[in-house]
Amino acid sequence: MPHAVAMPKPGQFTEECTILKWHKREGDPVAKGDILFEIETDKANMEVESFYEGTLLKIVVSEGGTVPVQATVAWIGQPGEAIPAAPPPPLAPPAAPIPPPPAAPAPAGPVVPAAPPMPAPAPVAPALAPAASAPATTAAPARLRISPRARRRAREAVIDPAPILGSGPGGRILERDVMAYLAAQGYDRLRISPAAKDLARREGVDILRLRGSGEAGRILIEDVRRAIAERPRPMSRMRQVIAQRLTQSFTTTPHFFVTVSADLTDLLKHRRRLKELGEPYTVTDFIAMAVVLALREFPDFNARTDGRQVWTFSKVHLGLAVSLDSGLVVPVIRNADDLSLRELHDTAAALVEKARAGKLTPDEMTGGTFTISNMGMLDVENFTAIINPGEGAILAVASTQETPVARGGTVEVRSMMKMTLSADHRLVDGAAAARFINAIRKRLEDPAVWRAWA
Amino acid sequence: MSKPNYLSFVQPDFTPFEIDCGRIRGYQYAGRLEVELAAGRLTREQTLEMYEDMLIVREVEDMIVRLRSGAYDPLPGYNYRGPTHVSIGQEGTAVGACTALHPADRITSTHRGHGDSLAKGCAAIRRMSEAELRSRVPGSTAGGAALLEEALEDHVFRTIAELFGKDDGYCRGRGGGMHIADFRIGHLGANAIVGGGVPIATGAAMALRYQRSPNVVCCFAGDGAYANGVVLESLNFAAQAQWTNHLAGDRPFGLPIIFLIQNNLYAMTGRAVDEILGVRHLARRGAGFADNNLHAEVVNGMDALAVFDAVRRAADLCRAGLGPVLLDAVTYRYYGHSLGDPRVEYRSKEEEAAWRAVDPIDRFRAALLAAGAAAESDLAAIEQRVRDRNTRAALRAADAPDPKPEEVLKFMYTTSRCDAVPEPHRNVRVLDAEAAKVKRDKDGRITYRDAIKEGMVEEMLRDHRVIFYGEDVAEYGNAFKLTKGMLEMFGRERVFNTPISEACICGTAVGAAMAGLRPIVELMYMDFALMASDQISNQAAKWHYMSGGQTTLPLVIRASVGGGKGYGGQHSQTLESVFAHIPGLYVVYPATAADAKGLIKAAVRDDNPVMYVESQLLYSEKGVVPEGDHLVPIGVADIKRPGRDLTFVGWGPAILDALKAAEILAKDGIEAEVVDIRSLVPLDEETILRSVAKTGRCVVVSQAVQIGSFTAEIAARIAEKAFDELDAPVVRVGAKDGIAPQSHILEAAFLPNAQDMVAAARRIL
Ligand SMILES: Cc1ncc(C[n+]2csc(CCOP(=O)(O)OP(=O)(O)O)c2C)c(N)n1
Ligand SMILES: [Mg+2]
């Protein structure tokens, strides 16, 4: 019996991957540990090694194909061995993407009512439960059933045959259907310049969808150019994942926002002095430290919920949003609550560098419990962030600005920084949020606190 | 109807008697060199030439042996890729025989044919006039002995160049050593099919007899070949009584052919003595085929003089009309079947040594010295000359240009045709002009059957080279009365019955075509073509190409399809797809009377071998057929009915069904076009594609079973070349993938019909 090679699950939240490149071809011998293929996950590219020895009998998913994790992508066995006709059932129900959080305290208090027996949600990342994204494959749209002759007619007419209803066997679009469609669409009355038609043909623009800007509605080359420029482009795989996750989070999590201004005048002076001494700390390091300490004080913000149960994390895994040209990644500092400022700094710096180089492993990008998004460098007065799926809150940090501030009856110019907390209203209320964000602010404003850090 | 020209009258006579097979003698030649010289049967020069020619053969083959082991010093490291069936040891037979032949006599040879080929060329060249020599080495400015020497060297060079696969080889690198041929000196080809050349030789002899030529054919073949059916069929074919008895009319004349068995005691490794034969002497075969034992003799093949003597006498018999002659020349090959054969599995070293001790070259050399015909120094000079000549030729051949890859298909088909009959062949004798006359009805219609006959008769009237034969085609007028009257019209010289010997019918046609005739032969049922498949597929189809265009094969094989009349699995097959798969043949299949006549005439005039397939189902179909020269070009399809909604394309009887189907569809307003390809090879792709471009839908039809049918070839070409024209998949209608049954209920279910075609059309409309 040949072995099925499954699409691996490189990250705990990864639902599907794309095969970028096969390193073996059908018929090639394969040794354990040989690189079989390369995949693109939602976050990174990686090489996949073989667990089996034998011959690559069949490649089921070819380059460019996207399939859910654990789907069979190939078969390895002895030459001549028969390959099962239907893919075997998954060996086990998809393993829980996240193990139940370590030491998640059994939710005390209101127990989920035993009846009605709603299917108990699996302890998975609520925002991205596989069920939510039914057939997750971003498979190409179903092949258009059209005869070659009809396709050629459509090509000659420079139209997209997709909307045409086919009258042939199995709904195949035939030449007569194209002709009928053209007649119904008033194709004969269409006026178009030869150059415009030529360009449209080359670029695959459906001229029935164009509005002519020429005399009597004649379609001109500019009209085609405009259509080309406005044509939808496919999103990059990374942006698609971002879109999917943020949409899910923003539409299923009731966000609320609390903003404070922190006075960083003293902290900035302190940091400058440290810098002169050769210490590398950034403002973000201090903010991270303040956040970690505040989370210890307010564990409700280091938690998540699915609306039925609450998981409170015993450790702080701090996500740092990093903006790249290609999109956003959030590397995670593990056990941030165990780290000194120095360690925080070093870990963060290493992760950011890896992120910029595109070298983060899937595990380095998953499992966060709270995230900081810092746009301080981007000269913004304030902004709000969307909570990362699987977390309960996020802190949006804006730029520090010289601001006249009334202080002890006089107006002083101070370095003020706004921070906005987005929190899951199912978990916490406004008062708690106010206390939490002010706990952060206080730590940033109190020299006694941060002098102890560095 | 004219009177039958011969009625058999054999009385029952059961008187006890014994057959006396007479005597077949062996090794009777007692001559010696001095006796031959004294009697003037050989000149001193000729004997030295024989010695030299044996050396030429041995030198070339020795070179092959050495090349294989990197030991041929003039060409170190040369990669010789071809076969290595050397005949070292057998030179006495090849040279003895060829020396006894006239330059215009023909030979056929075998896979072990370097010796025959070199010897025939040398013997012929040595007897050539200065003009003939010059035509072989056109660039030469030499004359006399120097010119002869150049022609000899050119001969060795072209032989080696062919072995090396070069464009300068005799066959332009298309044939190689196993198919080497030089038609200019009457070498009709070595043959890599064991026994395959024997019916060809027989056909060539038949042509020589017909042409009243003074020449003979010497057919070389091995002992192994004399177990092969087609060889035994050829002996019978050549020995038929009708060549020499009262049926032969004013010229009883036996086939001028010498069947020379190169009996080297082994087939590949199978032993002629004690193992794979039941006779001790193959010469005994003669007793099975003719009351004169075919003048059979056993000859010492190690003695060039004995072979010379036997072949000279045999050729004399043949020239006197007393052929055929069977000679069993016992000889020996020192090497194995090929150089890969270690020999030790099947024969002893002692045996080999004993035969080497009677080496034909050594013995001849000793005889020359003993007879005082040459001094030691003369012989040494000859030996040196042979070696030097061979070295020069080999170096030149190794350096010669390879054939161009883009010309890989050059010589596949010829474009030549007999558009005008040369004067001497226009003279045709007609015995009874009315006998085969075809009558038209009042609408000018004749049957398909008569259309074929009319076409053949017209071509036979036009060109004396056209002859016609097959089983029961003479008085009986063939199994379907198609050829009735042709014997009476043209006489038995041009229209005759053959033994039940399909391989020989087709094989002799190949030989006759090579020798200048344009035969039409008939296979009573197409199923029987499989009996002749070697001669059709390996010989007729391939010789134009394998000879590098030296010869054309203007012959027509008519094959009649019996499907549809309940004759069962062995008389009903539609096999044209099989032959369309063999490049080198043209394959045509008319569906109407007019096309039947037009195509048979075009086939006869074409210089390519044509499989002309006809259907018994259509024999009685009538149509208007133009009188006189009505030709249908081969490779041109015909639109039998125009239409715009759907194309039926096909051939043969299926076309009539397609026309009926089109009629039925027309009632629903669907206009089907019917394209009759008429020729499968060459295929008129353009007409098919044009029709499909118009209609967008295509049903390919024939009566052949679907699997591997030529309908699939057509469908594939449409898919490949007209994909964008298709509004539906191309579908096919043919017979079921089974065997034609006898029951008419079953056969109706087996064969396709008009309703099947309508249904197929509706599926894609
Ligand atoms: C029809 C056919 N069957 C088998 C072979 C393979 N084969 C090549 S030569 C040979 C033996 C031929 O023996 P013989 O006719 O005695 O010729 P020899 O090789 O001895 O010269 C065989 C079996 C072949 N070429 N053609
Ligand atoms: Mg032999």
Side-chain angles (χ1 to χ4, degrees):
Chain A
M1 190 45 194
H3 298 286
V5 178
M7 176 62 84
K9 188 170 170 54
Q12 292 173 335
F13 288 97
T14 312
E15 294 165 11
E16 58 184 45
C17 302
T18 304
I19 297 205
L20 285 180
K21 180 173 162 58
W22 276 97
H23 285 243
K24 299 272 178 191
R25 280 192 265 162
E26 286 183 4
D28 282 356
V30 177
K32 257 186 217 168
D34 281 359
I35 294 170
L36 277 179
F37 53 94
E38 210 170 301
I39 56 172
E40 180 185 45
T41 72
D42 42 10
K43 303 214 175 86
N45 300 350
M46 54 188 292
E47 293 174 333
V48 179
E49 298 178 356
S50 174
F51 297 108
Y52 311 112
E53 192 148 322
T55 296
L56 184 54
L57 296 178
K58 183 162 183 56
I59 290 177
V60 179
V61 179
S62 44
E63 290 180 1
T66 302
V67 290
V69 297
Q70 286 174 356
T72 298
V73 299
W75 292 90
I76 291 179
Q78 297 313 308
E81 249 183 327
I83 289 163
L91 298 175
I98 312 190
V111 176
V112 182
M118 301 254 300
V124 294
L128 287 174
S133 50
T137 38
T138 52
R143 231 178 92 80
L144 193 63
R145 283 177 68 85
I146 180 167
S147 81
R149 190 180 183 93
R151 189 194 307 278
R152 198 199 53 196
R153 281 268 177 275
R155 217 185 292 133
E156 284 164 1
V158 198
I159 59 144
D160 173 10
I164 303 176
L165 281 179
S167 66
R172 185 187 293 130
I173 301 165
L174 303 181
E175 181 186 33
R176 62 176 173 240
D177 303 321
V178 178
M179 302 323 263
Y181 173 79
L182 292 178
Q185 297 281 319
Y187 188 83
D188 278 353
R189 292 188 302 276
L190 209 64
R191 294 288 165 268
I192 181 164
S193 79
K197 192 164 183 180
D198 216 52
L199 180 65
R201 174 178 299 114
R202 266 184 283 124
E203 290 288 330
V205 173
D206 181 348
I207 60 172
L208 283 172
R209 301 278 154 269
L210 296 180
R211 297 183 134 266
S213 61
E215 205 178 315
R218 190 161 194 256
I219 297 166
L220 305 178
I221 199 155
E222 298 87 69
D223 301 320
V224 181
R225 289 217 181 95
R226 198 174 323 112
I228 293 167
E230 290 170 0
R231 220 160 25 184
R233 286 165 289 113
M235 270 175 138
S236 75
R237 173 113 196 92
M238 189 173 198
R239 283 238 68 92
Q240 285 184 37
V241 172
I242 293 169
Q244 183 191 354
R245 308 185 120 199
L246 294 183
T247 302
Q248 193 147 27
S249 171
F250 203 60
T251 55
T252 61
T253 309
H255 284 62
F256 75 101
F257 312 98
V258 180
T259 307
V260 295
S261 279
D263 183 344
L264 295 201
T265 316
D266 299 336
L267 178 61
L268 289 180
K269 265 190 223 139
H270 180 59
R271 191 191 75 107
R272 229 171 287 129
R273 216 171 34 252
L274 288 174
K275 196 147 207 175
E276 282 157 20
L277 297 172
E279 300 283 357
Y281 303 112
T282 64
V283 177
T284 310
D285 296 336
F286 287 93
I287 296 169
M289 193 70 182
V291 164
V292 169
L293 294 176
L295 283 172
R296 280 220 202 131
E297 200 181 329
F298 296 88
D300 287 351
F301 291 85
N302 198 39
R304 67 180 173 87
T305 183
D306 60 358
R308 298 175 158 276
Q309 303 185 75
V310 173
W311 291 264
T312 306
F313 304 114
S314 59
K315 302 295 291 176
V316 175
H317 304 306
L318 186 65
L320 292 178
V322 177
S323 169
L324 306 174
D325 288 345
S326 50
L328 202 65
V329 289
V330 185
V332 174
I333 303 173
R334 302 251 157 234
N335 301 316
D337 48 345
D338 294 343
L339 305 183
S340 66
L341 187 71
R342 179 79 211 193
E343 289 165 335
L344 263 183
H345 169 84
D346 290 349
T347 314
L351 286 171
V352 169
E353 197 180 309
K354 268 181 128 177
R356 300 240 150 91
K359 291 255 164 74
L360 289 173
T361 67
D363 270 340
E364 285 169 334
M365 291 185 276
T366 48
T369 59
F370 185 95
T371 297
I372 298 172
S373 175
N374 188 346
M375 295 224 286
M377 313 297 290
L378 299 174
D379 199 17
V380 294
E381 188 176 342
N382 194 21
F383 73 103
T384 61
I386 295 173
I387 301 167
N388 254 341
E391 301 177 10
I394 185 167
L395 187 68
V397 178
S399 308
T400 306
Q401 294 181 321
E402 299 290 287
T403 313
V405 175
R407 243 186 160 219
T410 60
V411 174
E412 283 180 37
V413 174
R414 306 287 294 177
S415 297
M416 301 303 290
M417 179 189 80
K418 283 188 177 158
M419 301 186 291
T420 299
L421 178 77
S422 306
D424 183 344
H425 218 324
R426 296 171 302 178
L427 270 175
V428 289
D429 299 326
R435 280 195 295 277
F436 172 62
I437 195 167
N438 276 307
I440 299 168
R441 182 178 61 79
K442 282 207 196 84
R443 284 181 167 81
L444 292 173
E445 291 179 346
D446 186 350
V449 172
W450 34 257
R451 286 227 175 83
W453 303 343
Chain B
M1 185 65 38
S2 57
K3 289 197 300 326
N5 91 350
Y6 153 66
L7 284 179
S8 175
F9 186 64
V10 180
Q11 293 292 300
D13 177 6
F14 301 117
T15 318
F17 79 110
E18 284 179 12
I19 294 177
D20 175 0
C21 286
R23 288 175 191 282
I24 293 176
R25 294 170 190 275
Y27 308 139
Q28 299 293 308
Y29 178 70
R32 281 175 307 147
L33 193 57
E34 44 273 53
V35 178
E36 297 293 341
L37 288 170
R41 282 188 291 268
L42 279 171
T43 63
R44 173 178 173 273
E45 285 68 34
Q46 279 178 310
T47 58
L48 294 181
E49 287 166 4
M50 286 174 78
Y51 180 62
E52 177 165 353
D53 292 352
M54 285 193 281
L55 286 175
I56 289 174
V57 174
R58 184 157 294 184
E59 188 68 29
V60 167
E61 296 199 310
D62 193 56
M63 174 193 73
I64 294 172
V65 175
R66 286 166 181 277
L67 280 172
R68 262 304 155 94
S69 39
Y72 185 61
D73 292 336
L75 287 173
Y78 187 78
N79 178 21
Y80 173 70
R81 290 181 61 253
T84 56
H85 306 111
V86 296
S87 67
I88 295 178
Q90 302 183 182
E91 298 89 343
T93 306
V95 171
C98 291
T99 305
L101 297 176
H102 185 272
D105 290 338
R106 318 289 208 273
I107 65 163
T108 63
S109 176
T110 74
H111 59 282
R112 199 177 304 287
H114 310 132
D116 307 337
S117 182
L118 285 163
K120 177 68 166 104
C122 289
I125 287 167
R126 292 184 191 290
R127 288 162 185 72
M128 278 182 186
S129 68
E130 182 131 345
E132 287 169 324
L133 288 173
R134 207 169 290 290
S135 77
R136 289 187 67 92
V137 278
S140 171
T141 51
L147 179 61
L148 172 63
E149 174 53 35
E150 278 187 30
L152 284 173
E153 182 165 329
D154 176 77
H155 176 46
V156 176
F157 163 69
R158 293 203 184 278
T159 301
I160 298 177
E162 189 58 32
L163 297 177
F164 288 0
K166 298 304 182 100
D167 210 30
D168 286 335
Y170 273 125
C171 305
R172 312 289 302 267
R174 269 78 173 170
M178 292 208 293
H179 310 105
I180 199 162
D182 181 3
F183 281 75
R184 291 173 304 172
I185 50 93
H187 184 359
L188 308 187
N191 214 301
I193 301 296
V194 170
V198 179
I200 295 175
T202 307
M206 199 176 75
L208 296 179
R209 174 185 184 275
Y210 180 75
Q211 294 157 342
R212 310 202 168 199
S213 154
N215 293 118
V216 305
V217 180
C218 180
C219 169
F220 293 107
D223 48 289
Y226 275 75
N228 192 311
V230 77
V231 174
L232 305 179
E233 288 180 31
S234 297
L235 293 180
N236 181 64
F237 198 99
Q240 289 172 73
Q242 66 174 327
W243 307 130
T244 50
N245 67 8
H246 59 284
L247 295 177
D250 61 354
R251 188 164 176 269
F253 196 91
L255 286 206
I257 180 166
I258 304 162
F259 294 102
L260 196 154
I261 310 175
Q262 287 162 318
N263 184 351
N264 59 13
L265 312 187
Y266 297 91
M268 214 160 106
T269 66
R271 282 158 283 209
V273 181
D274 290 344
E275 189 183 18
I276 58 169
L277 296 180
V279 293
R280 173 65 186 82
H281 293 287
L282 271 171
R284 200 188 236 278
R285 292 267 191 262
F289 296 99
D291 291 343
N292 66 6
N293 293 350
L294 300 175
H295 312 282
E297 279 183 33
V298 183
V299 181
N300 179 355
M302 302 301 277
D303 180 353
L305 287 179
V307 177
F308 171 81
D309 168 72
V311 172
R312 186 181 49 74
R313 287 183 292 108
D316 286 347
L317 285 172
C318 288
R319 292 190 222 283
L322 300 174
V325 177
L326 179 66
L327 296 179
D328 176 5
V330 177
T331 175
Y332 201 76
R333 55 165 163 80
Y334 297 166
Y335 286 90
H337 166 67
S338 64
L339 295 181
D341 167 12
R343 318 194 298 273
V344 293
E345 288 111 335
Y346 58 93
R347 71 190 195 189
S348 67
K349 291 249 178 334
E350 292 70 25
E351 180 187 290
E352 290 188 358
W355 285 88
R356 278 179 186 271
V358 292
D359 181 76
I361 298 181
D362 291 350
R363 279 183 29 162
F364 202 85
R365 191 179 201 280
L368 284 171
L369 291 172
E376 183 64 45
S377 58
D378 299 330
L379 299 181
I382 291 175
E383 287 151 16
Q384 191 60 44
R385 183 162 73 229
V386 168
R387 204 164 308 124
D388 292 347
R389 184 196 290 133
N390 198 93
T391 302
R392 285 192 303 274
L395 289 174
R396 222 178 112 206
D399 262 359
D402 288 314
K404 297 195 189 71
E406 62 272 24
E407 293 187 348
V408 59
L409 295 184
K410 194 171 172 182
F411 308 122
M412 269 315 305
Y413 295 95
T414 174
T415 52
S416 67
R417 240 183 2 211
C418 174
D419 288 329
V421 179
E423 177 50 37
H425 307 303
R426 284 188 222 156
N427 186 7
V428 170
R429 196 161 60 113
V430 174
L431 305 181
D432 177 351
E434 292 304 304
K437 187 123 185 132
V438 168
K439 291 202 179 57
R440 284 176 163 64
D441 71 10
K442 61 179 185 339
D443 303 321
R445 301 184 314 158
I446 59 174
T447 61
Y448 181 99
R449 172 195 280 115
D450 280 346
I452 296 172
K453 177 163 76 174
E454 184 168 278
M456 288 197 289
V457 165
E458 284 178 16
E459 291 308 298
M460 289 182 74
L461 283 168
R462 175 178 183 263
D463 188 341
H464 183 253
R465 294 168 300 178
V466 181
I467 60 171
F468 169 65
Y469 57 99
E471 293 161 17
D472 311 292
V473 300
E475 286 84 357
Y476 192 58
N478 111 346
F480 315 105
K481 299 289 174 260
L482 192 152
T483 64
K484 198 78 188 157
M486 289 176 71
L487 167 70
E488 291 76 6
M489 184 160 177
F490 295 107
R492 201 174 298 274
E493 209 192 0
R494 301 182 67 194
V495 178
F496 53 90
N497 287 335
T498 65
I500 312 307
S501 186
E502 286 75 14
C504 251
I505 292 171
C506 297
T508 52
V510 173
M514 284 178 173
L517 301 190
R518 309 182 72 85
I520 308 171
V521 296
E522 178 178 302
L523 297 173
M524 193 185 289
Y525 279 80
M526 188 165 206
D527 312 67
F528 311 158
L530 298 181
M531 296 289 292
S533 50
D534 169 57
Q535 292 300 321
I536 299 170
S537 308
N538 289 326
Q539 313 296 344
K542 294 194 175 38
W543 271 110
H544 178 62
Y545 183 81
M546 291 201 305
S547 69
Q550 291 183 66
T551 187
T552 55
L553 286 298
L555 62 95
V556 180
I557 299 171
R558 281 182 40 235
S560 175
V561 174
K565 57 175 199 178
Y567 263 42
Q570 297 171 338
H571 278 69
S572 308
Q573 293 172 91
T574 293
L575 292 174
E576 56 276 9
S577 301
V578 172
F579 295 100
H581 187 65
I582 306 289
L585 295 171
Y586 277 175
V587 182
V588 303
Y589 196 159
T592 64
D595 287 347
K597 175 174 174 183
L599 278 173
I600 191 77
K601 287 171 69 79
V604 171
R605 294 187 196 184
D606 203 285
D607 280 350
N608 293 289
V610 182
M611 270 302 261
Y612 179 98
V613 191
E614 54 197 58
S615 168
Q616 291 163 33
L617 281 182
L618 301 178
Y619 277 160
S620 299
E621 293 287 330
K622 280 189 165 182
V624 176
V625 177
E627 289 181 60
D629 249 4
H630 162 65
L631 282 138
V632 168
I634 294 177
V636 178
D638 183 42
I639 296 177
K640 290 277 191 288
R641 176 190 177 117
R644 60 173 157 72
D645 297 326
L646 170 103
T647 300
F648 284 114
V649 57
W651 68 90
I655 290 298
L656 302 195
D657 288 329
L659 287 168
K660 281 184 213 147
E663 204 56 51
I664 296 168
L665 290 167
K667 296 202 180 95
D668 292 345
I670 297 158
E671 290 179 25
E673 178 150 305
V674 178
V675 178
D676 178 2
I677 59 170
R678 303 193 290 198
S679 303
L680 287 79
V681 185
L683 181 65
D684 181 356
E685 227 175 61
E686 220 182 290
T687 300
I688 298 172
L689 297 181
R690 211 178 315 117
S691 175
V692 172
K694 180 163 61 161
T695 64
R697 291 180 169 77
C698 188
V699 182
V700 192
V701 300
S702 91
Q703 287 210 328
V705 296
Q706 296 275 55
I707 185 165
S709 167
F710 196 75
T711 52
E713 175 72 26
I714 293 177
R717 294 206 198 183
I718 294 170
E720 220 174 287
K721 301 186 179 169
F723 184 69
D724 285 332
E725 310 289 356
L726 291 173
D727 218 3
V730 180
V731 296
R732 300 187 296 144
V733 175
K736 305 238 169 9
D737 282 338
I739 295 164
Q742 194 276 338
S743 147
H744 74 277
I745 301 293
L746 292 180
E747 190 169 31
F750 172 73
L751 286 175
N753 59 36
Q755 283 307 332
D756 297 333
M757 296 178 193
V758 169
R762 291 206 194 282
R763 263 190 287 138
I764 57 166
L765 272 163

